């Protein structure tokens, strides 16, 4: 059995400079990095690092960075046979400028990610008989997200939706297809229409999401941990205390830890603990895919923190 991630695959082109350039200004920077990214690919790599057989589905451009992106997923142990090399689109690209003080400018071109469609959903359907869960995010067209959730739901596969980047609205038909929705505070606030910035408002937001039809709602609260609500109960799982240096991809690691635990047959409560552990570990390292913990580190962390499952 495997876990499937259906989502975005990007290349991040990152430059560093003393400060961000003003409009029309040319600056001399210092470093250039080419880093694989995209929320979908990040979650797939995170799962694979945790030792879970993982399939990535999505699209890359046949002519720019595509084979390189597929290879980097393969190197991380992710199965890529259903990724479509699109002759008519460029791979998704994020152009990122980072200043010494840590500020950034980011422009994203969704490219091939924006072309994901029903054909990809059909490729997904072929994998469902051997799948345990489907992880979705919002960096591909929403019509494809809804169609993917529907085929997985109909096949009794657990659907986990990370509603990121923050949407102003999700189609009403999507909620009942989702087993677990996992917004952070900003995303939860966008979805429910009131600010979400503490335990109380997160619990209230989770309640609204349950009413819209999801089976469980988990609101990720950064260093405050995560609130989880089901029709039966609402509980807080506190964050693990770590020396956080960069929380990029903490949310992606959280979702991978959550899904990995469910794959191991653990309870939802235990799965949220695994999610917070993976998120905390990702926060201790710089970068996105570079910060995702491997299984050895993850198990050692759980043991060290007295987690017995
Ligand atoms: P996102 O990356 O989607 O914005 P969060 O920042 O809420 O999501 O992080 C996801 C999870 O990672 C949190 O729920 C928490 O468990 C863990 N995490 C994030 N930041 C920290 C931190 N500074 N210390 C410990 N755990 C953290």
């Amino acid at each position: 059995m495997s876990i499937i991630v259906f989502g975005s695959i990007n290349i991040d082109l990152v430059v560093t400079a003393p400060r961000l350039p003003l409009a029309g200004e040319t600056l001399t920077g210092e470093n250039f990095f080419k880093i694989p990214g995209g929320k979908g690919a990040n979650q797939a790599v995170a799962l694979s690092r945790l030792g879970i057989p993982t399939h990535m589905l999505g699209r890359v451009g046949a002519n720019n960075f595509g084979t390189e992106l597929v290879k980097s997923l393969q190197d991380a142990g992710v199965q890529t046979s259903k990724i479509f090399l699109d002759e008519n689109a460029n791979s998704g690209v994020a152009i990122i400028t980072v200043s010494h003080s840590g500020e950034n400018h980011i422009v994203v071109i969704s490219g091939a990610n924006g072309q994901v469609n029903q054909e990809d959903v059909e490729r997904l359907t072929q994998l469902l008989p051997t799948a345990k869960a489907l992880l979705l995010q919002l960096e591909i067209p929403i019509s494809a997200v809804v169609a993917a959730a529907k085929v997985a739901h109909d096949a009794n596969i657990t659907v986990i939706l990370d509603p990121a980047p923050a949407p102003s609205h999700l189609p009403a038909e999507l909620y009942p297809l989702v087993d677990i929705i996992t917004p952070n505070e900003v995303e939860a606030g966008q979805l429910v229409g009131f600010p979400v910035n503490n335990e109380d408002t997160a619990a209230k937001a989770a309640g609204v999401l349950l009413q819209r039809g999801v089976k469980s709602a988990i609101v990720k609260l950064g260093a405050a941990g995560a609130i989880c609500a089901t029709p039966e109960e609402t509980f807080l799982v506190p964050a693990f205390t770590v020396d956080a240096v960069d929380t990029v991809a903490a949310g992606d690691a959280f979702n991978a830890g959550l899904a990995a635990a469910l794959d191991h047959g653990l309870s939802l409560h235990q799965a949220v603990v695994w999610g917070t552990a993976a998120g905390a570990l990702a926060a201790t390292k710089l970068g996105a895919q570079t910060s995702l913990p491997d299984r050895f580190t993850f198990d050692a962390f759980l043991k060290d923190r007295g987690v017995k499952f």
Side-chain angles (χ1 to χ4, degrees), residues 184 187 220-223 225-226 239-240 242 244 247 249-251 254 275-276 279-280 283:
N184 66 14
E187 293 144 9
K220 295 180 272 195
L221 296 172
F240 291 93
V242 292
T247 61
F254 180 101
T276 54

Side-chain angles (χ1 to χ4, degrees), residues 197-252:
N197 43 27
N198 57 29
E199 228 178 282
D200 284 349
T201 48
K204 213 169 128 204
V208 171
L209 298 172
L210 289 182
Q211 274 173 5
R212 291 185 191 166
V214 301
K215 291 205 183 65
S216 309
I218 299 172
V219 181
K220 295 180 272 195
L221 296 172
I227 282 276
C228 178
T230 69
E232 290 76 40
E233 55 174 346
T234 298
F235 54 86
L236 171 77
V237 171
F240 291 93
T241 305
V242 292
D243 288 327
V245 295
D246 170 25
T247 61
V248 169
D252 294 328

Side-chain angles (χ1 to χ4, degrees), residues 159-178:
V159 176
I160 302 176
L161 172 67
D162 191 2
S168 52
H169 169 79
L170 282 180
E173 62 185 306
L174 181 55
Y175 290 100
L177 303 173
V178 171

Side-chain angles (χ1 to χ4, degrees), residues 24-291:
E25 185 186 20
T26 301
L27 274 186
T28 301
E30 293 113 6
N31 292 304
F32 168 66
F33 307 97
K34 202 166 59 169
I35 309 168
K39 279 187 178 296
N42 289 350
Q43 294 187 7
V45 169
L47 276 164
S48 185
R49 291 242 177 98
L50 291 176
I52 307 296
T54 306
H55 256 288
M56 176 81 215
L57 273 94
R59 285 187 178 228
V60 292
N63 303 317
N64 77 327
F65 305 114
T67 41
E68 194 176 331
L69 286 168
V70 170
K71 173 144 191 329
S72 87
L73 285 164
Q74 288 169 347
D75 289 346
V78 175
Q79 297 181 56
T80 60
S81 59
K82 304 282 186 202
I83 293 177
F84 186 69
L85 276 162
D86 197 327
E87 297 280 346
N88 300 313
N90 287 322
S91 299
V93 176
I95 306 287
I96 305 172
T97 307
V98 185
S99 73
H100 284 183
S101 63
E103 289 178 303
N104 60 38
H105 274 160
I106 305 180
V107 178
V108 178
I109 306 290
S110 64
N113 296 308
Q115 302 302 315
V116 173
N117 62 36
Q118 191 57 34
E119 285 171 26
D120 302 284
V121 174
E122 274 151 31
R123 280 186 273 277
L124 164 67
T125 309
Q126 293 165 14
L127 293 177
L128 291 178
T130 55
K132 195 120 179 222
L134 172 70
L135 270 59
L136 297 166
Q137 317 77 30
L138 299 178
E139 290 183 336
I140 56 172
I142 191 68
S143 54
V145 172
V146 173
K150 176 139 188 33
V151 291
H153 177 78
D154 290 349
N156 281 321
I157 308 286
T158 303
V159 176
I160 302 176
L161 172 67
D162 191 2
S168 52
H169 169 79
L170 282 180
E173 62 185 306
L174 181 55
Y175 290 100
L177 303 173
V178 171
D179 291 281
I180 309 176
I181 193 166
T182 62
N184 66 14
E185 290 162 296
V186 174
E187 293 144 9
Q190 284 273 3
L191 288 174
V192 299
F194 55 81
V196 174
N197 43 27
N198 57 29
E199 228 178 282
D200 284 349
T201 48
K204 213 169 128 204
V208 171
L209 298 172
L210 289 182
Q211 274 173 5
R212 291 185 191 166
V214 301
K215 291 205 183 65
S216 309
I218 299 172
V219 181
K220 295 180 272 195
L221 296 172
I227 282 276
C228 178
T230 69
E232 290 76 40
E233 55 174 346
T234 298
F235 54 86
L236 171 77
V237 171
F240 291 93
T241 305
V242 292
D243 288 327
V245 295
D246 170 25
T247 61
V248 169
D252 294 328
F254 180 101
N255 279 47
L258 176 85
L262 296 174
D263 187 64
H264 283 269
L266 299 181
S267 69
L268 183 62
H269 188 285
Q270 292 169 327
V272 180
V273 174
W274 276 37
T276 54
L281 278 168
T284 62
K285 281 199 180 171
L286 274 177
Q289 291 187 9
T290 43
S291 72

